[in-house]
Structure formats: structure tokens, C-alpha cells
Amino acid sequence: MVILTALLLLTAANLAVSRKTICPTNATSCSACITANVKCAWCSELDYSRGPRCLPLNKLQKGSTCPDEHIVSPERVSVTITKAREVRRNRPITPQMVKLHLRRGAKANIPFRVKAKTTPVIMQFRYPRGVRVTVQADCMGFQWKKKIAKCRTTNGNVVNVTMTVHMKRCLPKPKKIKVIVGSFKKRPLKVLLTSACRCDCEKPEEAVVESTLCHSQGTHACGLCLCNEGRYGRHCECQGTGQAVGQCIGRKMTAQCSGRGDCICGMCHCNSISSASPVRYTGRFCECDDTACAYHQGQLCGGRGRCSCGQCICNDGFSGEDCSNDMSVDKCKSPATGLICNGHGQCVSNQCMCEPPYAGVRCEECPTCPGQCQRLKDCVMCFAFVSGAFNQEECRQRCEHLEIHLVDDVAVMERGGPNYRMCLLRDEDNCFFKFAYAARGRMRVRVERTRMCP
């Protein structure tokens, strides 16, 4: 089990290494791309936006849409050997001059022959920093240590030597590698070494200054516009500094325009509704969409408003996070008093929330409140005896919330009915009249039709 676990971990590690990107996909120039790895190539097409410009050569050729004529991949190794006219008979090394052009990271083998004048043959190697040299030779007892190679051989024999040159980093200017045999210091092998650390399309003679492709405000080189001061953008179409691009990134969003739009001249142009994406994005950084709001009864903003940047903007008369609160008060307003919930409650979603001990649709009921008989007096008098403070129109409007019945004897209660409270009052004729009231939903009032007059 332990062995199996170790194998699985090793396999996972190998996969992670194999998937490691060898070319910087975020490279901002052709030179930065080709010097990152000897396998990297660059796409110099101006409007190329279908993937990274910097990829391994094989992927750029087969796995991208970059035209072949726009693929920049300098030759990895170039070796030139001088002609034999410069070779003299008494020189112990052949050839005497080699021109070597390498990309950063590339290796090249330089074969040469050494004719033994003494034994052992001693070869000294001098090369600059940033270059690694290793040597092999077909002689017995070959030794290579501290830039010195030794061979045991017979005088007059020819030793075949292979020098491997590895370009570890870019050289700012051409350098020389010298191989000196024995005491023949004036007759060495010279290798003139240059490094391919700059794309030809970036050289001054290849770049186009004030190019129309860059709105005549920059230099076009290797598919990129190098904008003049005070201009920026893919085609130098924007005025200002390149820092304006940062205006398209919010404090808490890592992606430009939240990944939902394009940054054009420092402003986010958000993606609009399409068949592929029915969502409309808004906001300075395209951080909002029109569906990220609260739902009520299966509808966005309860069907009573619109969604704006995660917040419901409710229609008139509605409120709340999901616009579920009905702010109209027509069902809470008392026709008798004109007060909201008769002044004994609050109107929430067009319904009265009564304060105890009040009850009823508009908080008009309070069976346990003292003075309830006096509150009902005017409605009872106008309805039963056509008298009192209300005329007929006022009686109809202000007493419609009551259910009033005339009876012969209020003391006779219906079976199963509510518990009535008795009232005995005196009217303006100095007559007594009796009625009883009970609160069950709508206020019910029973009025004895005969008054008791002196």
C-alpha cells in the first residue's frame, strides 16, 4: 500500500511537471518570448487575439490560427567555419575560426582536430560568463577540469575533439571562445559567439515609425504598437497613460472588467444581451448583472420592480428587498375616521397590524376597551332611530364597518353566538336605549328597537 501511494504521488508530480508552461503566455514582446526558452515562438500578426502570442513553436504552428508568415522563431543554432586559406601548416589546431550564433538555452557541438606536438596534449579553454563549455576527446586518459583538457598521445598523432557550447543567457555583445593548445598562444581556435536575443522585426530598420496601424501615434514592431508618450491602447487609439487601463479593474475583482467586457480607453464596455448569454451586465467594472436580485414567489423582485446591480428598484407602492411589501394604504384607511388603522396600528403590505387590545380589519374593534359603548353611540342612533350627530350620508360612510341589527330584546341571544357586552345610554330626548356588541371579525351590534322614554 505504501509503495502504491508513493507511485501515485510520483505520477502526479510528473504530470504537474509535464504540464508546466515552458513559454510565458503573458510575454509583452517578441524578444521576451524567444529568450524565455529555446522552444518558444512569437506571433507577429497585428490583430492576433485568439490566444497567447508566445507559445512553443509546434503549438503555434499546429494548435493556433497564427498565419505561418507571422510566426517568429529565430534559428536555434548557426555555425560558420572560415575557409582554409587562413589555415597555416604549422598551426596545431584545425579549424582556426568558427562563427557561432545561438539562441538562449541552445547547445552546439564544435568539432576540431589537434595535432600533437608534445605529450601530453594540453588544451586551455577561455569563454565568457553566461556560457557553459564541456569537452570530449578520442584519446586515452582524457581529463577535463577547470577549463583545461589533457590527452596522452604520441607526438604527431591527431586528436579529434568535440566542444559543446551551451548558451545559458543572452550576451550583450559578441564574445569570443579561445582554445589554446600547449604554448601556441598566438595560434588558437577562435569561436566568435553571438546570441539571438532580439527578434529581427524589433530592429530599428524593420520597425515602422508613426505607423498608420498605430493611428500614426506609435511604432509598429512584431505585431505590436509601441505608443508615443501620452497614448495607449492596442492601436494607440487612446489618449492618456497606460495606467488608465487600471481603471477597468475594481478593488476586489482581479479580472479586467470582471471578465464580462472590454477595456477601451480606460472604460469598461460590458457585454450585452445575446443568444449565447441572455444576461445583461452593467456597472463601472461590469460587476453587476440583471438577474442577481432577490426573488419573491418565483419572480425576480416579486414582479414589482427591476434588478439593478444586485438591488431591486421597486415600482411605486412597493418596497422591501424583493419588493414584496405593498406600501399602498387604501385597505388600511378607515372610512369612518379617515385614519390609518383608526390610529391603533401600522399598515404593512396594505394590511393593518393592530396594537393590542385592538383588532379588526382596520383596528376598529376593542371589546375590552372602556368607552366602547360611547364610540358606537352615534352609529347606533343614526341607524336605529335616525337621530344623533350623523346624517344619513355620514351614517352610511362612517358606520359601514359595523354590522347592526334591530331586535325586540337584546337580552335574547342567538344560540352559539358570540358573547355580547351590554350598553345602556341616554339620547337627546332623555330616552334610554339598549344595545349589545360583540367583536368576531366584523363588529356586530344588536339594537333593541324600542326606547325607554319618561
Side-chain angles (χ1 to χ4, degrees):
M1 186 65 181
V2 175
I3 296 176
L4 179 60
T5 303
L7 289 174
L8 290 174
L9 291 174
L10 182 60
T11 302
N14 290 336
L15 286 174
V17 172
S18 64
R19 292 174 182 173
K20 184 179 179 181
T21 304
I22 63 174
C23 297
T25 55
N26 59 346
T28 57
S29 68
C30 180
S31 295
C33 175
I34 65 166
T35 56
N37 192 288
V38 72
K39 297 181 180 180
C40 298
W42 175 264
C43 182
S44 65
E45 185 183 15
L46 176 62
D47 288 322
Y48 183 75
S49 59
R50 296 173 293 277
R53 289 181 179 269
C54 185
L55 289 172
L57 178 59
N58 60 339
K59 290 187 177 181
L60 204 58
Q61 289 175 328
K62 298 179 181 179
S64 75
T65 56
C66 183
D68 290 344
E69 63 271 19
H70 287 289
I71 296 178
V72 180
S73 179
E75 190 176 7
R76 298 183 183 182
V77 179
S78 176
V79 180
T80 302
I81 300 177
T82 58
K83 294 182 179 180
R85 62 183 177 84
E86 297 185 14
V87 179
R88 299 181 180 179
R89 295 180 182 177
N90 61 344
R91 294 200 173 183
I93 191 168
T94 306
Q96 281 90 48
M97 181 65 74
V98 175
K99 293 182 180 180
L100 179 60
H101 189 70
L102 290 178
R103 282 184 62 175
R104 179 178 178 270
K107 297 179 181 180
N109 293 328
I110 307 296
F112 59 90
R113 296 187 303 166
V114 175
K115 187 174 182 180
K117 298 292 185 179
T118 60
T119 187
V121 176
I122 299 177
M123 294 168 280
Q124 301 179 43
F125 293 79
R126 299 176 182 176
Y127 49 89
R129 291 182 179 180
V131 177
R132 183 183 179 188
V133 172
T134 57
V135 179
Q136 291 292 332
D138 62 350
C139 61
M140 295 181 63
F142 173 75
Q143 295 180 359
W144 166 249
K145 187 177 182 180
K146 294 183 179 181
K147 299 184 180 182
I148 295 178
K150 292 182 180 181
C151 262
R152 293 200 306 269
T153 184
T154 306
N155 290 346
N157 284 352
V158 174
V159 178
N160 295 309
V161 184
T162 300
M163 175 175 57
T164 301
V165 180
H166 184 191
M167 179 75 71
K168 300 288 288 184
R169 64 184 184 189
C170 290
L171 302 176
K173 59 182 180 180
K175 298 288 184 177
K176 289 182 180 179
I177 297 176
K178 290 185 178 181
V179 183
I180 301 172
V181 179
S183 60
F184 296 91
K185 293 183 179 181
K186 296 184 179 180
R187 302 170 187 175
L189 163 61
K190 296 179 181 179
V191 178
L192 183 62
L193 180 62
T194 57
S195 53
C197 292
R198 186 177 183 182
C199 299
D200 289 342
C201 55
E202 289 180 347
K203 294 180 178 180
E205 59 270 22
E206 296 292 333
V208 180
V209 181
E210 306 298 329
S211 171
T212 56
L213 297 175
C214 305
H215 283 72
S216 301
Q217 295 291 333
T219 301
H220 177 242
C222 291
L224 299 177
C225 283
L226 307 177
C227 302
N228 299 338
E229 186 177 358
R231 304 287 293 197
Y232 72 98
R234 179 178 292 180
H235 302 285
C236 305
E237 68 275 17
C238 305
Q239 290 185 340
T241 64
Q243 295 177 349
V245 176
Q247 298 175 4
C248 293
I249 302 176
R251 293 182 179 180
K252 298 181 181 180
M253 294 163 219
T254 56
Q256 183 173 282
C257 298
S258 303
R260 298 167 168 177
D262 298 318
C263 183
I264 301 177
C265 296
M267 296 182 62
C268 285
H269 292 249
C270 305
N271 297 337
S272 57
I273 298 176
S274 65
S275 57
S277 176
V279 180
R280 184 172 63 94
Y281 298 107
T282 57
R284 179 181 175 185
F285 307 110
C286 305
E287 72 276 17
C288 306
D289 66 69
D290 56 7
T291 62
C293 286
Y295 282 73
H296 176 66
Q297 296 180 345
Q299 289 186 294
L300 185 67
C301 298
R304 299 168 172 175
R306 60 183 177 85
C307 182
S308 175
C309 203
Q311 183 177 4
C312 286
I313 307 298
C314 302
N315 298 336
D316 291 341
F318 299 96
S319 66
E321 182 182 9
D322 53 6
C323 300
S324 59
N325 295 335
D326 190 344
M327 296 178 65
S328 57
V329 296
D330 56 308
K331 295 181 181 180
C332 295
K333 190 174 183 180
S334 171
T337 63
L339 299 176
I340 301 299
C341 302
N342 280 293
H344 300 304
Q346 294 182 341
C347 189
V348 179
S349 295
N350 210 12
Q351 292 183 341
C352 281
M353 305 295 291
C354 302
E355 301 170 353
Y358 294 90
V361 175
R362 300 179 183 91
C363 306
E364 72 279 7
E365 302 171 8
C366 186
T368 61
C369 291
Q372 186 67 18
C373 292
Q374 289 295 329
R375 293 189 183 93
L376 295 173
K377 176 182 177 180
D378 289 336
C379 285
V380 169
M381 290 180 66
C382 75
F383 182 85
F385 308 113
V386 194
S387 62
F390 296 157
N391 59 34
Q392 291 300 305
E393 181 62 24
E394 291 174 329
C395 186
R396 184 184 63 81
Q397 292 180 354
R398 303 181 70 172
C399 304
E400 66 174 1
H401 63 288
L402 302 176
E403 183 182 334
I404 303 177
H405 299 279
L406 291 173
V407 296
D408 293 332
D409 189 352
V410 294
V412 180
M413 303 298 176
E414 71 261 27
R415 292 182 179 180
N419 294 323
Y420 282 83
R421 294 179 179 271
M422 300 299 295
C423 296
L424 180 62
L425 301 176
R426 188 191 301 268
D427 62 14
E428 63 266 22
D429 296 329
N430 204 28
C431 294
F432 287 96
F433 61 95
K434 289 193 299 184
F435 62 92
Y437 66 90
R440 178 181 286 181
R442 191 177 186 186
M443 179 74 78
R444 301 177 66 179
V445 182
R446 294 163 57 88
V447 184
E448 195 169 289
R449 67 178 74 250
T450 303
R451 297 184 296 167
M452 295 175 285
C453 296

